[in-house]
Amino acid sequence: MHLSVWTYEGPPHVGAMRVATAMQGLHYVLHAPQGDTYADLLFTMIERQGRRPPVTYTTFQARDLGGDTAELFKRSAQAAYERFRPEAILVGASCTAELIQDDPGGLARALGLPVPVVAVELPSYSKRENWGAAETFYQLVRAFAQPRSTPRGSPRCNILGPTALGFRHRDDLREVIALLERLGVAVNVVAPLGARPADLARLGEADFNVVLYPEVANTAAAWLKRQFGQPSTTTVPIGVAATRAFAAEVAQLAGLPAAMLDEAEARSPWYARSVDSNYLNGKRVFVFGDATHALAAARVATVEFGFTLAGLGSYSREFGREIRQAAEQHGVAPLLTEDYLEVEAAIAECQPDLVLGTQMERHIAKRLGIPCAVISAPVHVQDFPARHSPQMGFEGANVLFDTWVHPLMMGLEEHLLGMFREDFEFHAEAAPSHLPQAAAPATGLWTAEAEKELTKIPFFVRGKARRNTERYAAERGIQPITLEALYEAKAHHAR
Amino acid sequence: MSSAGILPRAAAPLAALPQVLAERGQREVFCGLTGIIWLHRKMQDAFFLVVGSRTCAHLLQSAAGVMIFAEPRFATAILEERDLAGMADANEELDKVVGRLLARRPEIRLLFLVGSCPSEVIKLDLGRAAQRLNQRHAPAVRVLNWSGSGIETTFTQGEDACLAALVPAMPKLAAGAAPTLLVVGALAEAVEDQLRRLFAALGIGAVQFLPPRRAAELPAVGPRSVFLLAQPFLAATAQALEQRGARRLPAPFPLGAEGTTAWLRAAADAFFVDQRRFAEVTAAAEQRARHALDGFRERLAGKRVFLFPDSQLEVPLARFLSRELGMQLVEVGTPYLHRQHLAEELALLPPGTRLVEGQDVDAQLDRCRAARPDITVCGLGLANPLEAEGLTTKWSIELCFTPIQGYEQAADLAELFTRPLVRRSRLES
């Protein structure tokens, strides 16, 4: 039993949902109680998708447990097929259904549906979201991928790994496709994002695979290598140096001569050399995230921006070896944990100048008053910006420069702080000028009772309520503002 | 006459019930654990420890989402493979987790062990665990248990289970004590304070709230207690209070000006408050609420509303929307219909209202699309997809997180329904 305040990853069936929701023409029938339908809001509210995830939940209840939950599963699968007419059906169980052992795979196959059924077994009590996504993607690839049927022509690759609810997957994909195009490599299939089951069947037509997110794609890529002899890229193109290395690796796998990439749009190397960036020297950075993004952040922060790595950790235990290696290189202790409280304690002890983490580290950093930028899932609605905001490629490196450097105190501001430590408004404890400041103090216009009532109004509308009430009172010569006047004003402004 | 010496009030006749369509199929609702998101802020020295899976932990943080500004007073003891292997082990593990938690949060006075789908299915006896932990941690910490499992509870039924678990812990009201009024159901603090002032003005002094803000302030209960439900989803809590001798005052729920007056009147009648005093206390506030609703009625009258089942607030909301704002009810879904507690509400619904208990979400979506209502009240999983289809939606969870009860909040409640319509017209103009 493990005590958890916040979790970095959801259960493995949420990973399966990320794959199913990314794809087209696939429907997931999940044996699960009603509460598990919360997972839909991850996609409709956090990612703001305009369609429901293609998931049917059997939503069994306590009264069904004595009866026939297997029958309920069969009815749900049949109904889902008839309603949604998918090209293939994915079936599985969530944590509770795993305990009642109904065998969704066997039940669905027994229905004799006219489309392929892929069953995924995701052990909820030992595995987590990313593993679930990787396993689901692997099972789908295994079920549908066919060997090459056309002769080898100009170089083609698959892009593996982007899912629904992925951290900047949409934008990374655009960057990487453009990069491959410039290198003269055609994209055969992108999966799972946007792929249909029929597209998975064509995976074998590619010469090699680009593994964009190892957490999701490694298992499938390893199978494709074993089965069809397709090699995979091992470099994730986050940062300028990694983008160059990725291009070289792609050229080699594609059998193309090593080419110089046009780097005109890569502004971050020059910005990092601009004199105002001198103050970035040795800023102590604490990095935590999934393995891919944490490893990349450690590299970019030190080599490309000149920060000092003060801490490195990840919740991706599957990549413990890589994290330990990188931590050793930088002379810091690796932090491999999924315990939010442990991460909080590590950051508090480290007292870094900047935290590069997930949304949870953003909370921690906010509490500790440390600047922070988000580099990895778990995702938040802010991680789906309306604008193009990749992490990968040269444009991605530009984005990293902006988002990591802007939260820091600017160079001249820092000098002035050093010179004028006694200034009452401008001192070391004051927040940077570009970050929000505290609210205005209270006035004497109010009775104590009304003033107290005002504090019960949520802080984000309190200022407006105060102004509206004071204006209302002033217009009517009400003084002091009583409880009654507060509610009169509220009713007045409601209209 | 009741033993409390206060006037009983006749319930509305159950025969007047409208037709209810019972539906079974896929549900698209939260489980009872979700109530922890407001309950953990309501009771400031209570901690909610869910004994469940990673899914439970993920649900809580996803549903709480951006709303958490401080360390929450809830957590999940996540069951792992080795806990499932042997039960004795799971109990020992739980004791260790609780020990660690209480050491970290010494200000906690009340710990809820909250059951989940997996803990129910493996029959982990949290009642016994609570007893055992009570012996170890009393008197500093009291340990109670309830289940928020999705195989037994839907969304707000979690609060019901939690409050029902508190009832046996409430002290006994002394036999000779004056009759007391209990207001049952979590309310925003500002609403509680408003209601407290109204009851004081009516001369009903002994008013207490369940849940209290602090564990030590649990109100006393006994045969001289009467209670008013402030929320429509408290079936088990009401039953537990009745078992302790308290008597429920049948009333509509305090939503809107009309609902609030009727709700207050049930208490006033039980405490023999005379009509003139009742009018003196409530008339101005009711008038103010009605006045504040005027502008909203202009915008909402005649608009057609479709309510998906979510919190059991749907029936009182439908009554408010139809009677005070002139909206037309296309369909009123509710996860569960408590015919007795809602008798007064049902009697106020327009005849022929389509009431649906339970859910088959795909069939219901078909009906909603066919009806093309002006506004659809639904959960977060459905809202954006329906918006993308061109329907205007109001996400229902906001109705649980916003102070909507009482006179001063009547207009706020109406505003929640105009907001999406105003938004749409702003963006389209």
Side-chain angles (χ1 to χ4, degrees), chain B residues 387 420-429:
Chain B
E387 291 278 350
L421 293 165
V422 168
R423 179 98 200 126
R424 185 158 283 244
S425 63
R426 269 174 180 265
L427 297 180
E428 279 169 6
S429 60

Side-chain angles (χ1 to χ4, degrees), chain B residues 350-375:
Chain B
T353 300
R354 191 204 291 162
L355 273 173
V356 180
E357 183 183 21
Q359 189 170 31
D360 178 351
V361 69
D362 288 310
Q364 198 160 31
L365 282 167
D366 287 345
R367 291 199 298 274
C368 181
R369 290 181 182 116
R372 293 205 69 82
D374 296 303
I375 186 160

